[in-house]
């Protein structure tokens, strides 16, 4: 333990030396170091640094150009959840950002013309693999390689901005490949030559070779580099640095210059090339003999192997859309040791509220943005989470490279550590700034109709911090809808990394974000509250779930839908906070409402009066699901933190606590009793179903390997049950948890809601404007129910003959026997969504929560509507 304390003290001393005027931030940072060190068995027990996973070589070219497009009345939400884990502790930041289109297709003051840049590359295999620098090709719209007076189109096979290396591929054969030297054998003073095409606009595109020596072996930004005194100028980047035998000892990477600095060049050691190739299952196979040669001979040998790289960037569209945003974020800490996870971003308070405008170009570039509280771990502003750099033409892969910085700020007496905003700030005093580099590599994985799946490999790291580095890297998956013209979902898994000379701290992080409809544009109270959607994300008031913009179709797009008269039984008012879950008691005497303020309230369905309040359930977070047992004696609720709680329910509506069930790590989406109520089944955003013994309240087993969050469970009296996430249906033995069958559904989207028919034979998913249906046993797709808008939530009626869904300002009623839309129950034109909703046990009533209803629950009588 004394060794641990010694390392801790040394680390603190170094950090305090660099940031001596930022003690409040240092204390928080050191708290994280202490947390790891105190949980380690020795000072050397640190987590290794891992690079992002290798990319699959197989790629798909997107069939149509990708572009962000908006309509004048578009309204939508982005719900997000960011989770960081360290030593069994979990910190979650979740929330929403609501958007409205203000000004579409606005012309920018400055339009970037088509730009050209250049660099150098060299051949390492006869069949067309070349090495260059990552910063040369990052963000390129088009790459041309000129080799031996022949021009080739090149594509990027691999790119690692952390070491500033990239692998290119051209279609060529029998190329003269250079050999790689073991850079561990390189010595100080060793003679070198640098080949490349520096200052091509001035000096032309003939190969230039400069001589020098290895002037230093240094550690820069946590990376081992060679310092060379040979001339290195713009355009040399990516060129080979060779020894007297013509073998490559490194790659020319960067240059420093200034009034009091002689020319200093750096090169990446050749062993880093081998590591990058090995990661992507590639091999260099140059085979020239290691014979010392004079300068002219080396130049002749290099000439056919060193290529001029021409980088073309297409002109921008020149227009952008201005969006008004309002964002809300909440942070919660969960631990098994009674400790709190240290807070990294001090601007993220409880809750954090941001609002303003953000301007987005068609290619996803943020043209301008107002300031807002940022997410921790360098994820940046919430309003910009779902906007990614897109190519201007159909491509299989592209990249985006930006130079940015990390800033320490002082505001209201507190210290803040955040990413730099290039759009200016007025409120904060910047105390210190450190340069950083942000690189994204994109690869199209698949395209099915209008949905394009894109892999994003992301790297963000600081530079210029001697002996210290801050990094965020990982791999994400983007779903882009070409029909809507927007990203509808984004998931990311990565690592926040802090490195010092003594140790390395890794914090695994996961981000989930999805596009949902904006449902509270008319609610003036919405800017001060947060809620939980059916997706498990904590979000602003009246948030729902689904991958869709609020973009009403023209009246001519579909035939008129009949209106259905449904008497309003009662309207329950005065809830003060928004409702996230509803459940009737079996005798329909009471209705229970789970709320975003961590309360459960019980109301009389006859008088509308509140008879009981249970809260504040801070350990549960927002209530995301509710269940009342068939005998009406117990209430089960699941929360956004993954905790499940059980109460006894008295005949007068009073609740008394029974047990808490811990196992899920994320929001509970579905709760279901077995037919004999001996077991409770729960499905969550952790893509898992858990089975609980209702007597002992112990977990019996868990069934995982779902593709997305579990949303629907159907139980039978035969000892098995069905569970679905809208992408797969699993048949599970109730007693053992053994999966006897797993059926894939023909769906790659993110459903708004999923439910089984009453007999379990059909599984239904609401996706965009349709209800899609499949046979549960075979996965055979049945005719879908097509509508005019999104159904944010839906449920079957008591006998399964009807499906009632919450739309924009009304309830949609479907005839499930004759497979047709019967009509709409109108609520209010100002209502943007209806969610959640539930049907009474006798099938006579439906309760729903409309978005702009001033926190009210509507209970309607369900009319008997015959199919025409």
């Amino acid at each position: 333990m004394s060794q641990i304390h010694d390392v801790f003290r040394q680390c603190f001393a170094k950090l305090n030396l660099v940031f001596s005027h930022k003690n409040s931030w240092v204390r928080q940072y050191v708290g994280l170091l202490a947390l790891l060190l105190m949980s380690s068995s020795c000072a050397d027990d640190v987590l290794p640094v891992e690079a992002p996973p290798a990319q699959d070589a197989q790629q798909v070219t997107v069939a149509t150009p990708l572009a962000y497009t908006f309509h004048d009345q578009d309204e939508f939400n982005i719900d997000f959840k960011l989770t960081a884990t360290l030593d069994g502790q979990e910190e979650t930041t979740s929330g929403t950002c609501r958007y409205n289109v203000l000004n579409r297709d606005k012309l920018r003051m400055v339009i970037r013309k088509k730009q050209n840049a250049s660099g150098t590359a060299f051949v390492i295999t006869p069949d067309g693999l070349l090495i260059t620098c990552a910063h040369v090709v990052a963000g390129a719209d088009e790459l041309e390689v000129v080799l031996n007076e022949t021009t080739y189109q090149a594509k990027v096979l691999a790119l690692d901005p952390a070491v500033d290396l990239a692998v290119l591929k051209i279609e060529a054969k029998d190329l003269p490949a250079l050999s790689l030297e073991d850079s561990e054998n390189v010595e100080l003073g060793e003679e070198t030559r640098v080949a490349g095409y520096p200052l091509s606009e001035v000096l032309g595109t003939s190969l230039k070779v400069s001589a020098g020596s290895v002037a230093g072996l240094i550690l820069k930004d946590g990376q081992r580099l060679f310092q060379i005194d040979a001339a290195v100028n713009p355009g040399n980047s990516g060129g080979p640095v060779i020894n007297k035998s013509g073998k490559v000892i490194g790659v020319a990477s960067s240059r420093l210059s200034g009034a009091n600095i002689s020319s200093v060049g750096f090169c990446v050691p050749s062993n880093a090339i081998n590591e990058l190739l090995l990661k992507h299952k590639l091999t260099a196979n140059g085979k020239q003999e290691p014979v010392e040669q004079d300068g002219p001979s080396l130049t002749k040998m290099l000439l056919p192997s060193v290529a001029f790289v021409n980088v073309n960037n297409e002109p921008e569209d020149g227009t952008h859309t201005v969006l008004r945003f309002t964002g809300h974020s909440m942070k919660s800490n969960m631990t098994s040791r009674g400790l709190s996870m240290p807070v990294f971003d001090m601007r993220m308070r409880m809750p954090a509220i941001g609002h303003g405008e953000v301007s987005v170009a068609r290619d996803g570039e943020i043209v301008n943005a107002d300031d807002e509280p940022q997410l921790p771990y360098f994820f940046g502003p919430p309003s910009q989470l779902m906007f990614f750099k897109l190519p201007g033409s159909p491509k299989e892969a592209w990249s985006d490279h930006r130079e940015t910085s990390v800033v320490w700020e002082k505001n209201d007496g507190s210290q803040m550590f955040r990413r730099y905003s290039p759009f200016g700030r007025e409120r904060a005093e910047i105390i210190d700034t450190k340069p950083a580099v942000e690189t994204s590599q994109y690869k199209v994985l698949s395209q099915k109709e209008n949905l394009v799946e894109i892999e994003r490999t992301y790297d963000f790291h600081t530079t210029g911090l001697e002996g210290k580095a801050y990094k965020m890297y990982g791999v994400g998956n983007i779903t882009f809808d070409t029909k809507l013209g927007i990203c509808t979902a984004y998931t990311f898994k990565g690592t926040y990394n802090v490195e010092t000379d003594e140790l390395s701290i890794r914090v695994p992080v996961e981000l989930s974000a999805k596009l949902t409809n904006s449902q509270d544009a008319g609610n003036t109270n919405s800017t001060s509250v947060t809620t939980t959607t059916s997706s498990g994300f904590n979000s602003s008031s009246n948030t729902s779930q689904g991958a869709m913009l609020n973009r009403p179709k023209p009246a001519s797009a579909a035939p008129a839908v009949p209106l259905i008269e449904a008497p309003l039984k009662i309207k329950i008012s005065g809830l003060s906070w928004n409702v996230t879950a509803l459940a009737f008691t079996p005798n329909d005497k009471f209705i229970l409402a789970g709320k975003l303020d961590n309360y459960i309230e019980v109301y009389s369905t006859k008088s509308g009066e509140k008879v009981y309040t249970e809260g504040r359930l801070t350990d549960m977070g927002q209530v995301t699901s509710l269940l009342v047992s068939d005998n009406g004696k117990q209430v089960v609720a699941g929360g956004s933190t993954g905790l499940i709680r059980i109460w006894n329910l008295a005949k007068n509506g009073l609740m008394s606590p029974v047990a808490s069930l811990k196992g899920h790590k994320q929001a509970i989406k579905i709760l279901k009793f077995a037919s004999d109520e001996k077991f409770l089944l729960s499905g969550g955003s952790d893509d898992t179903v858990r089975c609980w013994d209702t007597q002992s309240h112990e977990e019996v087993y868990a069934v995982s390997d779902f593709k997305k969050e579990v949303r629907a469970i159907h139980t039978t009296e035969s000892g098995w049950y069905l569970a679905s996430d809208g992408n797969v249906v699993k048949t599970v033995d109730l007693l053992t948890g053994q999966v006897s069958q797993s059926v894939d559904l023909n769906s790659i989207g993110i459903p708004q809601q999923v439910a089984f028919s009453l007999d379990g034979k059909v599984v239904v998913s609401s996706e965009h404007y349709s209800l899609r249906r499949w046979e549960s046993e075979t996965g055979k797709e049945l005719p879908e129910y097509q509508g005019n808008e999104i159904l944010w939530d839906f449920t079957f009626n008591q006998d399964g003959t009807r499906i009632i869904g919450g739309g924009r300002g009304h309830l949609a009623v479907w005839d499930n026997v004759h497979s047709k839309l019967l009509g709409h129950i109108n609520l209010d034109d100002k209502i943007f969504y209806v969610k959640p909703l539930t049907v009474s046990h006798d099938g006579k009533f439906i309760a729903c929560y409309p978005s702009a209803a001033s926190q009210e629950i509507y209970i309607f009588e369900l009319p008997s509507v015959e199919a025409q």
Side-chain angles (χ1 to χ4, degrees):
M1 186 62 71
S2 61
Q3 290 178 312
I4 298 175
H5 291 160
D6 289 341
V7 174
F8 175 82
R9 283 192 294 269
Q10 293 172 13
C11 188
F12 178 86
K14 288 181 175 290
L15 287 169
N16 197 47
L17 178 63
V18 177
F19 305 114
S20 59
H21 57 297
K22 308 171 188 61
N23 293 329
S24 63
W25 181 88
V26 171
R27 284 195 294 270
Q28 294 201 31
Y29 172 74
V30 172
L32 177 62
L33 299 181
L35 176 64
L36 178 64
L37 291 169
M38 293 301 290
S39 63
S40 304
S41 58
C42 66
D44 294 330
D45 186 15
V46 295
L47 298 170
V49 180
E50 295 180 359
Q55 298 182 16
D56 190 346
Q58 184 177 4
Q59 294 177 324
V60 179
T61 300
V62 63
T64 56
L66 302 178
Y68 285 89
T69 56
F70 300 96
H71 293 184
D72 288 334
Q73 296 181 353
D74 280 352
E75 300 166 340
F76 58 96
N77 281 0
I78 289 175
D79 293 343
F80 59 87
K81 181 176 182 179
L82 170 61
T83 302
T85 308
L86 180 63
D87 192 36
Q89 301 182 73
E90 189 174 282
E91 176 191 88
T92 299
T93 304
S94 51
T96 195
C97 194
R98 188 174 71 247
Y99 301 83
N100 298 88
V101 171
L102 290 184
N103 196 335
R104 188 168 59 89
D105 295 337
K106 183 178 180 181
L107 185 65
R108 279 193 254 183
M109 295 296 293
V110 178
I111 302 176
R112 178 172 62 85
K113 298 180 179 180
K114 184 168 182 175
Q115 297 178 345
N116 295 325
S118 63
T120 306
F122 59 93
V123 180
I124 58 169
T125 68
D127 61 351
L129 288 186
L130 292 84
I131 293 294
T132 188
C133 282
H135 75 265
V136 171
V137 298
D141 292 316
E142 183 179 301
L143 286 176
E144 291 180 346
V145 169
V146 181
L147 185 66
N148 297 326
E149 300 183 351
T150 301
T151 300
Y152 301 90
Q153 295 297 315
K155 62 181 180 180
V156 179
L157 283 190
L159 185 145
D160 190 344
V163 293
D164 198 19
L165 289 178
V167 182
L168 307 183
K169 180 68 171 69
I170 62 174
E171 296 302 323
K173 294 182 179 180
D174 302 323
L175 299 178
L178 299 181
S179 296
L180 303 181
E181 178 66 272
D182 183 352
S183 55
E184 292 296 325
N185 298 328
V186 175
E187 298 179 347
L188 278 175
E190 185 172 336
E191 293 183 14
T192 63
R193 280 177 169 78
V194 179
Y197 298 90
L199 306 172
S200 59
E201 293 183 357
V202 177
L203 302 178
T205 56
S206 61
L207 185 68
K208 311 298 188 300
V209 178
S210 58
S213 63
V214 178
L217 306 176
I218 66 170
L219 187 68
K220 181 175 181 286
D221 306 332
Q223 176 191 354
R224 186 171 182 263
L225 297 175
F226 296 151
Q227 178 185 332
I228 55 177
D229 53 19
V232 177
N233 289 291
N236 270 121
S237 294
V241 180
I242 62 171
N243 58 18
K244 291 189 296 183
S245 300
K247 301 189 74 172
V248 177
I249 67 169
V251 183
S253 176
S254 59
R255 173 180 176 270
L256 299 177
S257 62
N260 299 316
I261 305 176
S262 301
S263 292
V264 177
F266 294 98
C267 76
V268 181
S270 55
N271 285 2
I273 301 175
N274 284 322
E275 292 174 4
L276 178 62
L277 295 172
L278 180 63
K279 187 189 306 181
H280 293 271
K281 301 179 181 179
L282 302 171
T283 306
N285 54 10
K287 297 180 180 179
Q288 75 260 30
E289 294 295 328
V291 179
E292 292 189 9
Q293 304 177 59
D294 58 22
S297 298
L298 287 173
T299 301
K300 291 179 181 179
M301 183 270 295
L302 286 171
L303 189 60
S305 302
V306 180
F308 175 73
V309 180
N310 190 33
V311 181
N312 295 324
N313 293 308
E314 295 297 328
E316 295 175 355
D317 178 78
T319 61
H320 64 278
T321 297
V322 180
L323 304 171
R324 176 184 288 125
F325 69 85
T326 300
H328 311 80
S329 300
M330 292 287 288
K331 177 172 287 186
S332 61
N333 298 337
M334 291 181 289
T335 175
S336 58
R337 300 189 178 188
L339 300 174
S340 294
M341 188 89 162
V343 178
F344 273 79
D345 190 285
M346 296 182 65
R347 303 193 69 210
M348 186 59 68
R349 293 177 170 85
M350 303 280 287
I353 301 174
H355 55 85
E357 296 179 6
V358 58
S359 299
V360 183
R362 287 175 58 84
D363 65 357
E365 179 186 355
I366 303 298
V367 178
N368 192 27
D370 289 337
D371 180 52
E372 62 181 306
Q374 291 193 5
L375 295 173
Y377 310 105
F378 297 142
F379 277 96
S383 67
Q384 302 176 29
L385 274 179
M386 298 282 269
F387 298 108
F388 305 96
K389 182 70 172 180
L390 302 177
S393 59
K395 286 190 176 183
E396 64 182 23
W398 64 97
S399 59
D400 183 33
H401 180 84
R402 306 166 188 260
E403 293 185 0
T404 180
S405 59
V406 174
V407 297
W408 281 260
E409 298 177 346
K410 184 176 182 179
N411 191 13
D412 299 329
S414 61
Q415 307 290 331
M416 305 164 197
F417 182 47
R418 70 194 296 270
R419 288 174 53 175
Y420 168 72
S421 171
F423 306 111
R425 293 171 46 77
E426 298 180 357
R427 297 183 304 172
E429 173 190 346
I430 297 179
I431 299 173
D432 200 1
T433 303
K434 299 299 178 184
V437 174
E438 182 179 28
T439 301
S440 297
Q441 301 175 70
Y442 300 94
K443 180 177 66 174
V444 178
L445 299 179
S446 66
Q447 180 172 11
K448 183 177 180 181
E449 297 178 348
N450 57 300
L451 295 180
V452 181
E453 296 292 327
I454 304 168
E455 180 183 83
R456 182 197 190 205
T457 303
Y458 178 77
D459 178 277
F460 180 95
H461 64 276
T462 55
T463 61
L465 295 173
E466 296 182 4
K468 301 163 191 68
Y470 305 89
K471 301 180 181 179
M472 165 60 72
Y473 53 86
V475 177
N477 187 274
I478 301 167
T479 301
F480 193 91
D481 192 317
T482 57
K483 183 178 180 181
L484 296 177
I486 197 166
C487 172
T488 59
Y490 178 53
T491 59
F492 175 86
K493 289 186 178 182
T495 303
Y496 175 85
N497 209 70
V498 180
E499 297 181 25
T500 70
D501 293 334
E502 285 80 14
L503 78 167
S504 172
I505 306 290
R506 289 194 317 129
V507 181
V509 293
E510 293 188 22
L511 174 72
S512 296
K514 65 179 67 175
L515 181 73
T516 65
N517 187 39
S518 175
Q519 305 115 351
D520 203 23
N523 189 343
T524 58
N525 296 326
S526 63
T527 58
S528 62
V529 297
T530 56
T531 186
T532 302
T533 70
S534 64
S535 65
F537 299 131
N538 295 336
S539 57
S540 69
S541 62
N542 300 316
T543 324
S544 69
Q545 187 237 339
M548 191 64 185
L549 288 126
N550 178 17
R551 183 176 293 171
K553 289 188 174 181
S556 60
V561 178
L563 296 180
I564 299 174
E565 293 297 328
L568 180 64
K569 172 181 170 59
I570 195 168
K571 185 187 295 185
I572 300 174
S573 304
L575 278 75
S576 71
W577 288 78
N578 291 15
V579 174
T580 53
L582 289 170
F584 279 103
T585 57
N587 58 10
D588 301 328
K589 182 178 179 180
F590 302 108
I591 187 167
L592 285 75
K595 299 167 59 189
L596 66 86
D597 58 353
N598 312 341
Y599 279 81
I600 297 174
E601 294 177 344
V602 183
Y603 293 90
S604 167
T605 58
K606 184 177 181 179
S607 65
E609 294 181 358
K610 185 192 304 182
V611 299
Y612 182 75
T613 298
E614 179 72 17
R616 170 177 297 257
L617 307 170
T618 53
D619 53 351
M620 288 183 59
Q622 287 76 35
V623 180
T624 55
S625 55
L626 275 175
L627 174 67
V628 180
S629 62
D630 289 341
N631 60 16
K633 294 182 178 180
Q634 284 198 325
V635 174
V636 185
S640 58
T641 66
L643 182 68
I644 300 171
R645 297 186 66 173
I646 302 175
W647 295 265
N648 285 331
L649 180 65
K651 292 181 179 181
N652 59 0
L654 303 184
M655 296 166 53
S656 56
V658 174
S660 296
L661 311 181
K662 298 180 181 180
H664 289 281
K665 300 300 183 182
Q666 299 181 40
I668 307 300
K669 310 311 300 176
I670 181 69
L671 294 164
K672 191 80 172 181
F673 278 114
S675 58
D676 58 5
E677 298 194 356
K678 291 183 179 179
F679 298 100
L680 172 68
L681 300 168
S682 58
S685 296
D686 55 2
D687 308 342
T688 301
V689 172
R690 299 183 186 275
C691 178
W692 310 87
D693 187 307
T694 55
Q695 297 299 317
S696 66
H697 302 122
E698 297 291 332
E699 182 178 321
V700 182
Y701 58 80
V703 179
S704 54
D705 298 328
F706 286 88
K707 296 181 180 179
K708 300 184 183 299
E709 55 193 22
V710 180
R711 292 184 158 275
I713 297 175
H714 172 75
T715 58
T716 72
E717 296 181 357
S718 304
W720 52 271
Y721 66 89
L722 300 172
S724 179
D725 57 0
N727 293 89
V728 66
V729 176
K730 293 182 183 293
T731 303
V732 186
D733 186 290
L734 178 62
L735 295 179
T736 66
Q738 183 175 356
V739 178
S740 60
Q741 179 176 270
S742 183
V743 178
D744 284 327
L745 306 178
N746 183 26
S747 174
I748 63 173
I750 299 178
Q752 282 74 256
Q753 184 59 284
V754 182
F756 286 101
S757 60
L758 296 190
D759 57 9
K761 293 181 179 181
V762 177
V763 60
V764 183
S765 172
S766 57
E767 297 184 15
H768 298 309
Y769 287 94
S770 302
L771 288 176
R772 297 185 65 185
R773 306 184 302 148
W774 297 268
E775 291 182 355
S776 302
E777 184 176 354
T778 65
K780 177 184 176 181
E781 186 162 7
L782 303 173
E784 66 183 37
Y785 295 165
Q786 296 183 347
N788 300 333
E789 60 178 359
I790 310 164
L791 295 182
W792 300 108
D793 195 6
F794 72 91
T795 185
F796 287 87
N797 69 338
Q798 188 263 349
D799 59 8
T801 60
R802 301 286 184 263
I803 294 179
I804 303 97
R808 180 184 173 92
H810 61 260
L811 296 172
V813 182
W814 298 79
D815 180 355
N816 199 39
V817 177
H818 299 90
S819 302
K820 65 177 297 184
L821 179 63
L822 294 176
H824 291 165
I825 301 173
N826 277 352
L827 303 180
D828 191 322
D829 292 339
K830 296 180 181 179
I831 294 172
F832 289 96
Y833 84 110
V834 180
K835 171 191 173 70
L837 51 84
T838 187
V839 172
S840 63
H841 288 253
D842 60 10
K844 294 181 179 180
F845 304 103
I846 183 165
C848 61
Y849 180 80
S851 64
S854 302
Q855 290 82 41
E856 295 175 323
I857 298 173
Y858 289 14
I859 301 180
F860 291 95
E861 294 183 17
L862 272 178
S864 176
V865 183
E866 299 297 332
Q868 302 297 320

